[in-house]
Amino acid sequence: MRDAPAVPTLRVSQVLGPITALGPGRRLGLWVQGCPLACAGCMSRHTWDPGGGHDVTVERLARVWQRALADGYDGLTVSGGEPLEQPEALGALLDTADRVRRDVGRAEADLLVYTGWEETEIAASPSAVLALRHADAVVTGRYRAGEPTRLVWRGSANQRLTPRTARGRRRYGPHLERRTDHPELQIQVTEDAVHIIGVPRPGELSSLERDLTTQGLTFRENTWRP
Ligand code: SF4
């Protein structure tokens, strides 16, 4: 776990938006850097190294969130990496995101956090509980490649989507048992990478890679193979 710097700062892998495949509506997506859980089959191995990514102050992230709200975004999804490896910074981020949404009159915009921690592990950690106090919903649990699920926004059948606030119950309640055979996968291209956003089914990433290769894209490396 990282020491908290004097100015609240999060180690970040990437920030992308709008994303539509990890939570309801158009959202700002923030992937933190650093995860020690090493789930077999993780699609985001590039986020494991806590020394990767870059430091971003919560203040700067708040400005990005404010612009996203001004552009009509419906929520913020924090994923990773493991957000609870940085509990102080995560708590500061969610506190600030909560204040900003109220200040700009967008109090209905929701805050969703993906974590590999189980609910019992969160409950046993005062710093994790504190960090998540403004999270409207959490998706919890390690990714288990051998337990696929059709439930939306979850990667494996053991993972739980749990609303934690009244806003979260309004926003996520209708989706708790919603299933799909065709989960949305979103592709965003930046200067140096093709980002695949969403919760793919087993084998789907390799198939997508093959399709993109036949369309002329050459991959130097990908983030889901060791
Ligand atoms: S699936 Fe999530 S919790 Fe598991 S190793 Fe990957 S980033 Fe970490």
Side-chain angles (χ1 to χ4, degrees):
M1 201 170 286
R2 305 172 75 223
D3 291 336
V7 177
T9 301
L10 201 62
R11 193 76 180 172
V12 170
S13 171
Q14 63 193 27
V15 179
L16 294 171
I19 66 167
T20 54
L22 292 172
R26 293 167 70 244
R27 312 179 65 81
L28 183 65
L30 189 165
W31 285 261
V32 306
Q33 184 71 30
C35 179
L37 300 178
C39 305
C42 169
M43 69 182 281
S44 305
R45 296 173 65 94
H46 63 300
T47 66
W48 288 9
D49 177 5
H54 45 281
D55 286 329
V56 186
T57 63
V58 165
E59 190 186 350
R60 187 167 162 209
L61 292 170
R63 287 198 294 274
V64 176
W65 172 232
Q66 187 164 356
R67 281 198 298 275
L69 290 173
D71 286 344
Y73 283 30
D74 300 293
L76 168 68
T77 297
V78 181
S79 185
E82 177 44 66
L84 288 175
E85 280 296 301
Q86 305 179 60
E88 290 83 8
L90 175 67
L93 172 71
L94 296 179
D95 286 359
T96 307
D98 174 57
R99 179 176 49 73
V100 168
R101 66 181 167 183
R102 287 184 281 109
D103 285 353
V104 302
R106 294 290 319 283
E108 80 286 0
D110 72 274
L111 309 176
L112 169 66
V113 177
Y114 277 79
T115 171
W117 288 29
E118 310 293 343
E119 284 285 2
T120 49
E121 293 173 316
I122 294 170
S125 166
S127 63
V129 170
L130 194 62
L132 293 171
R133 65 190 178 280
H134 288 302
D136 296 300
V138 290
V139 176
T140 54
R142 313 290 194 271
Y143 170 66
R144 295 184 194 156
E147 300 180 27
T149 181
R150 294 172 55 237
L151 290 166
V152 296
W153 305 328
R154 279 143 284 189
S156 54
N158 62 299
Q159 294 182 325
R160 298 279 170 269
L161 169 58
T162 310
R164 297 170 69 92
T165 64
R167 181 190 298 103
R169 285 187 284 281
R170 283 194 298 277
R171 188 62 72 95
Y172 290 88
H175 303 286
L176 296 181
E177 297 301 324
R178 185 163 71 81
R179 289 169 165 77
T180 178
D181 286 325
H182 304 289
E184 180 183 2
L185 278 190
Q186 195 183 351
I187 296 179
Q188 286 198 5
V189 181
T190 55
E191 213 168 86
D192 57 353
V194 176
H195 304 273
I196 300 169
I197 301 158
V199 186
R201 293 292 171 262
E204 209 169 355
L205 287 174
S206 298
S207 151
L208 187 61
E209 184 183 9
R210 277 195 300 277
D211 288 350
L212 291 172
T213 303
T214 59
Q215 290 172 40
L217 268 181
T218 305
F219 288 83
R220 282 197 305 272
E221 57 187 341
N222 73 36
T223 63
W224 60 88
R225 269 197 294 271

